[in-house]
Amino acid sequence: MSVWRYTSGLNADVVRHWVDRVAAAPTKGPKPSLEPAPHTGRELPFLRELHSQKQSKFTPWKLALPSPTTLVPAVLLLLILVLQLAVFPRLPSHYQLFRSSSPPPPNSCPSVPAYNPFVQELYCRAPQYTPNRLYRQTPHSMALAAAAERIAAEFEYPKEQVQKGVTAFMRQMDEGLQVQGATLSQIPTYVTAVPNGTEKGLYMAVDLGGTNFRVCSIQLHGNSTFSLTQSKVKIPGDLMTAKTSHELFSFLAKQVETFLKTHHGEHYSSHVERRKKSSMLSGESYSDEDVFSLGFTFSFPVQQYGINKGTLIRWTKGFDIPDAVGKDVCALLQKELDALHLPIRVAALVNDTVGTLMARSYTSPGKTGTLLGAIFGTGTNGAYVEKLSRLTKLAKMGPEAGDVETSTGEMIVNTEWGSFDNHLSVLPTTSFDRTLDAASNNPGIQMFEKRISGMFLGEILRRCLLALIHDPSTPLFTDEHSNQNDMHSTTNIHDDSPLYRPHGLDTSFLSIASGDASPGLKVTRQALDIEYGVSAASAEDAEAVRLISSAIGKRAARLSAVAIAAVVLSTGKLTNTTGNADDDTIDIGVDGSLVEFYPNFEDYLREALREVPSIGPAGEQRIRIGIAKDGSGVGAALIALVAERERAGGNASAASPSSGAGGEGGLLQSVLSSLNRNLRIRV
């Protein structure tokens, strides 16, 4: 009964069969077989499964098709993969499935729709950034890209034009050496010696190089090093176009007075007191021992008649004071210094490029000396060492030529190359160059400078951007809706944006944009927002700005190479070789924000030098370009040192600093020189 109770759910016939066999089995002997009884009815499920498995061992293999529920998704997935691999890559990126949100940076030049090799190279040279590439295939971005490329291509300056520029530059250099009034002034500086790094002394210098005025005192240590103390002030805009020269030069003299009170107060106070007493009692002049020799760096075209005499030819860099033209600028400054009873004598008139050359020679003399000093900053100019035999116009000047030291057979010449090719026979010209020149203070003048210097590059870019802004077919700084802008907003230009004001865009912005490698060009966009009132500029806007900025800067660098190549070839330095690498090095000192901070400026410059057939790669490698820091200050002090020796009647050569300031002028002069030197050291 208990068995039946627990097996009520089983097959009754099978169970009964097994029970009968167990009951009938003998107690001794072999155990009964456990083979199942013949199938008499329904079979247990697990036994049926065992039977089917056993039979399957001998069943031939047959293809089992999947069920429809499995087959349909598999076919769909296969179709999607085929489309993705074979069809979708040919479609725009925003139609693709499984696209990467941030593709890896390219290993080589990005493929962009640049139809011009010049524009293509700009993209290749610019820093790469990964997200939000400009050239997504949308009508908005494509229109902006095409407009930016079209303007950038206008600033192309190919190697054929570089060679023509070098030839014309050399021809105008020769004209300037022979006659007065040539396009390149080629002004004699009366500086006939360059330093060798052993000069010593304490001197003062002032620098009027553009929009800033600097006052400094320089201690030369005699080991190619120096110590400098300085102050700087911005020239007020109204004084740059003052009615009289007195307004500007009295302002400069007051800045010198403030500097002396601050940094040399004891010497200043004692001198002023002595001078006042001397004037009241006997009218005698003050003694030379109490006076600083000052080098006046005046970075404007002057006709020089002596080491501290020169009349202003014309103003540049935004200055326009007609009253000063034709006057001796050293005398104008000395007059205002004397009016304030300051212990200073203007000993030398220095162009900033001459100062750069002198400073480079002092800090890095080398075996061959420095050939050229060049400025690529607010303005541009160059001064180089020329043979006196080629400076034939000195003989034609007669008494106006002044006293010339001929012992070295050389003289530093101030080229004033900013006026190269004023008649535009070889210089590249765009519509933006023409409108800038027409709106300048000196139309038709300084045409070379207006394509290179920091005073004008920002204004060129501003005019390019305005042309795009005012073009209704170009979507620069404009969006139809927020989806066209990765900032999820629409771009706006404030009504009082500096972009709408002449010279409202600083050249430093070109350096920021050209070198921006931040994700999405965020640095450029922040500068546009904070400095220029362009809010929510898109990445496409920023890259368009960067492209045009790079084109303007590249043209400026290649034009700069024209001037350097012409000086190197005109002086014959490449043909004079000794076989020694150090002796054959051509040293060039440069200064200015463009050459120092503008991305790729020197690379572009050297690239153009290699393209000049007379220089080539081998000649370019011989040219060493080095930054001459503070050339206008240290260089002016060095020229003041030379001038002091000439005035005292000693050897004018800067290469002989061991002799006293008075040279061999007798015992009394030696004593006075010693007192003067000791006083300088004390101060």
Side-chain angles (χ1 to χ4, degrees), residues 185-189 351 353-354 381-384 412-416:
S185 300
Q186 294 286 74
I187 302 167
T189 65
N351 185 273
T353 51
V354 182
N381 191 17
Y384 71 102
I412 298 176
V413 174
N414 171 22
T415 65
E416 289 298 334

Side-chain angles (χ1 to χ4, degrees), residues 207-215 231-240 247-248 251-252 254-255 317-319 378 454-455 503 506:
D207 175 17
L208 182 62
T211 55
N212 295 315
F213 179 67
R214 189 164 61 110
V215 186
S231 66
K232 183 183 294 186
V233 64
K234 185 176 179 62
I235 302 293
D238 57 332
L239 291 182
M240 296 175 66
E247 297 177 56
L248 175 64
F251 171 81
L252 304 183
K254 289 176 182 177
Q255 304 310 311
K317 306 174 188 176
F319 281 79
T378 303
M455 184 76 179
H503 294 276
D506 192 83

Side-chain angles (χ1 to χ4, degrees), residues 282-295:
S282 59
E284 295 179 358
S285 62
Y286 52 92
S287 60
D288 288 348
E289 288 78 11
D290 300 328
V291 179
F292 284 106
S293 292
L294 178 141

Side-chain angles (χ1 to χ4, degrees), residues 220-291:
L220 303 173
H221 300 306
N223 57 355
S224 296
T225 66
F226 60 88
S227 300
L228 179 141
T229 304
Q230 67 174 344
S231 66
K232 183 183 294 186
V233 64
K234 185 176 179 62
I235 302 293
D238 57 332
L239 291 182
M240 296 175 66
T241 56
K243 293 182 179 179
T244 65
S245 58
H246 165 74
E247 297 177 56
L248 175 64
F249 284 90
S250 63
F251 171 81
L252 304 183
K254 289 176 182 177
Q255 304 310 311
V256 176
E257 180 183 39
T258 301
F259 179 86
L260 285 178
K261 289 180 179 179
T262 303
H263 301 286
H264 302 285
E266 181 181 352
H267 180 64
Y268 165 77
S269 300
S270 61
H271 169 77
V272 170
E273 186 65 25
R274 287 196 304 272
R275 184 167 185 180
K276 287 181 178 179
K277 291 180 179 180
S278 176
S279 299
M280 289 186 296
L281 294 177
S282 59
E284 295 179 358
S285 62
Y286 52 92
S287 60
D288 288 348
E289 288 78 11
D290 300 328
V291 179

